[in-house]
Amino acid sequence: MTGFDRQGRPVYRPLGGWVEAPDDPQPELEGEAAADVIVVGAGFAGLSTALELAARGAKVIVLEREFAGFGASGRNAGYLAGGQGLEYDLFLRRVGHAQAKQIIRFYDEGVDYVERKLAELGIDCDYNASGIIRAGVHPSQEKKLRKSLRTGVALGSPGKFLDYAAMRARGIPPAFLFGCYLPGGGTLDPGKYVMGLRRAALRAGVRICENTKVLSWADGPTVTVQTERGRAHAPFLVLATNAYTPQLGLLGNKVIPLRVSALETEPLSAAQLASLGWPRREGIVTAHWTMESHRLTARNTLVTTTKRLHYVYGRQTPNVPDEAAYRALANGLHQRFPMLGDLAIRSCWSGYISFAYDALPVVGEAGAQRNVLYAAGCSGHGVGTQSLMGLLLAERICGAENPLLAALRHNTPLTLPEPLQWCAVNAALGVANRLDHRVNRKARDAARR
């Protein structure tokens, strides 16, 4: 497996693999500014919120520390997925069946919402509405997959189990023995999607201030946001900052940032593509405790993600390489696709998702006037959910609460203080890694026989 430098280090991108800094960077906020709503964060959630508010006649300022799409929106794997395959055991008993059904509906509605917006806004992001397959690589994973599928179907999200013969009939690469076919959604280029939202927001009259670091905010009837070179004032503030929200003084006791890593190969040759099969190019996620994801892109590269998660002490989010994770990804890529041989790696990158202990979104209001709105806890399902969140937050600001937003309101489990937080999270991740390593070892042994 090539793609590392002479010191054996992977080719690291400090940006996500899907984005570059825009050619038209928007000016930093300077001096005083006023609006109807201030949005912090120019990812899927922030830009969708701004677009929905602008469509309702609001004057909106979006403040972004780097540039639109710099964070998780430009670093994820690009799966537009619904409510199947969530961690049901973490929340079903807590919220009850009725509320869980509405929560799953929120996830499935997120798929429909993005598909509508792609058409309405004319965004070309290489969307492949192929559905998604949640697959097993060893027979020991079948029970878990079938149970998850049954739970998801009972909660209203469609899916179908594919046995070995059905997987081969679809042309799925042979390392994936069986799986659950989830018909909604598919894969897209998240960089092209977020940049499409950025262009649409600018056309709609949204003021986007890039390279604008938020230093603090103060609530009241009018919220004031202090940046390095200016201040903005508005009756409402939306924090669409996901994993970075605790650094702004909110949700530090409800969500934690987890570092997720990704690897992209060089383009596959025609012969390599033919050896794969995979005619529909469904995105594949695995049934590991820490899932893997594998997909083909429109540029005929392979992108594989996750494999290892990392939590940094103190809920920090340093933009640094994770070489151990990249090596694990490279080894996993070779194990799943041995027919590709010595496939060169183009680049590797990392980013942060926010995770609550029940793996559900965290939404609500803060401040004495309840006019500081927030949304976090995407838990790796951000493309659809955080896009739809923009509509729900815009409706809430305009005086109406969507039933789907109401369904997301629940008592999120509280996180732990440091150093207990660091110990607990890394212990849990260590157990998950050991369990997944055991499954992978069994899969390797079975493949050799």
Side-chain angles (χ1 to χ4, degrees):
M1 188 72 63
T2 62
F4 296 89
D5 65 19
R6 292 180 179 178
Q7 286 73 43
R9 295 172 301 195
V11 180
Y12 169 67
R13 277 181 59 88
L15 308 181
W18 311 95
V19 294
E20 300 290 347
D23 296 331
D24 60 338
Q26 297 303 294
E28 178 184 356
L29 179 68
E30 296 186 16
E32 302 287 328
D36 298 314
V37 182
I38 301 166
V39 176
V40 181
F44 299 144
L47 292 173
S48 295
T49 302
L51 275 165
E52 293 290 354
L53 286 167
R56 289 158 175 78
K59 180 181 179 182
V60 185
I61 295 176
V62 177
L63 306 178
E64 166 57 47
R65 179 172 179 167
E66 302 289 344
F67 60 83
F70 177 85
S73 296
R75 298 170 188 262
N76 66 76
Y79 286 70
L80 178 59
Q84 272 285 359
L86 300 179
E87 299 298 335
Y88 306 118
D89 290 342
L90 294 181
F91 66 85
L92 186 52
R93 290 184 179 178
R94 288 180 56 86
V95 303
H97 187 83
Q99 186 174 358
K101 286 192 72 170
Q102 287 296 97
I103 291 172
I104 299 306
R105 183 174 158 235
F106 161 75
Y107 280 85
D108 287 340
E109 286 285 335
V111 174
D112 296 337
Y113 177 82
V114 171
E115 289 179 338
R116 289 197 307 272
K117 287 301 173 181
L118 294 181
E120 290 174 11
L121 301 174
I123 298 175
D124 180 3
C125 58
D126 303 323
Y127 178 48
N128 177 25
S130 60
I132 291 169
I133 292 178
R134 190 163 182 243
V137 301
H138 186 266
S140 61
Q141 295 177 310
E142 183 173 349
K143 181 179 178 181
K144 177 183 176 182
L145 262 180
R146 286 185 178 274
K147 178 185 176 183
S148 178
L149 177 65
R150 287 194 301 270
T151 302
V153 169
L155 293 172
S157 192
K160 176 184 178 182
F161 188 81
L162 303 176
D163 61 14
Y164 184 85
M167 293 282 275
R168 305 292 75 78
R170 292 186 72 93
I172 302 301
F176 307 103
L177 305 180
F178 47 82
C180 301
Y181 175 62
L182 318 177
T187 58
L188 49 74
D189 183 319
K192 290 183 178 180
Y193 175 43
V194 74
M195 288 302 175
L197 293 175
R198 179 183 183 273
R199 289 191 298 272
L202 291 173
R203 288 197 306 267
V206 174
R207 181 180 177 185
I208 301 176
C209 300
E210 295 176 313
N211 299 305
T212 300
K213 180 181 179 180
V214 171
L215 300 179
S216 63
W217 54 274
D219 68 335
T222 298
V223 182
T224 298
V225 178
Q226 181 71 50
T227 71
E228 290 180 319
R229 301 180 66 180
R231 286 192 303 178
H233 313 273
F236 289 95
L237 170 65
V238 175
L239 297 179
T241 42
N242 209 30
Y244 307 99
T245 308
Q247 296 171 24
L248 294 174
L250 201 63
L251 304 185
N253 64 340
K254 291 187 177 181
V255 298
I256 59 172
L258 293 176
R259 185 164 66 220
V260 179
S261 296
L263 172 155
E264 182 177 14
T265 71
E266 292 289 352
L268 276 62
S269 68
Q272 287 172 322
L273 286 169
S275 72
L276 273 182
W278 211 350
R280 299 176 180 87
R281 298 188 174 214
E282 304 96 333
I284 297 174
V285 298
T286 66
H288 291 85
W289 292 103
T290 302
M291 75 169 192
E292 302 171 13
S293 77
H294 304 277
R295 59 164 293 195
L296 283 167
T297 71
R299 51 192 182 234
N300 290 331
T301 62
L302 262 171
V303 171
T304 182
T305 65
T306 310
K307 194 71 176 176
R308 292 289 185 270
L309 297 174
H310 285 114
Y311 171 71
V312 181
Y313 187 90
R315 298 173 177 81
Q316 296 303 302
T317 55
N319 189 27
V320 296
D322 192 334
E323 296 183 13
Y326 305 145
R327 293 191 179 282
L329 287 168
N331 291 334
L333 188 70
H334 182 70
Q335 183 177 354
R336 305 294 172 236
F337 306 100
M339 74 287 289
L340 298 179
D342 193 23
L343 184 60
I345 296 170
R346 169 181 283 183
S347 61
C348 311
W349 63 90
S350 299
Y352 293 87
I353 63 172
S354 66
F355 182 80
Y357 279 175
D358 58 6
L360 289 179
V362 180
V363 299
E365 300 87 18
Q369 308 295 319
R370 313 304 291 172
N371 56 350
V372 178
L373 285 71
Y374 56 81
C378 67
S379 301
H381 297 268
V383 178
T385 61
Q386 297 304 297
S387 298
L388 177 58
M389 193 65 71
L391 172 65
L392 305 187
L393 294 178
E395 290 177 339
R396 170 67 180 78
I397 289 171
C398 293
E401 174 142 326
N402 191 299
L404 294 179
L405 184 62
L408 295 176
R409 296 183 184 275
H410 69 288
N411 292 322
T412 301
L414 297 181
T415 61
L416 301 171
E418 298 290 15
L420 296 178
Q421 179 72 43
W422 187 90
C423 295
V425 172
N426 283 288
L429 293 177
V431 170
N433 289 339
R434 286 193 293 273
L435 292 172
D436 290 342
H437 178 74
R438 185 182 304 168
V439 169
N440 291 334
R441 186 178 66 248
K442 291 178 180 178
R444 280 196 303 270
D445 292 345
R448 290 171 182 150
R449 290 197 291 267

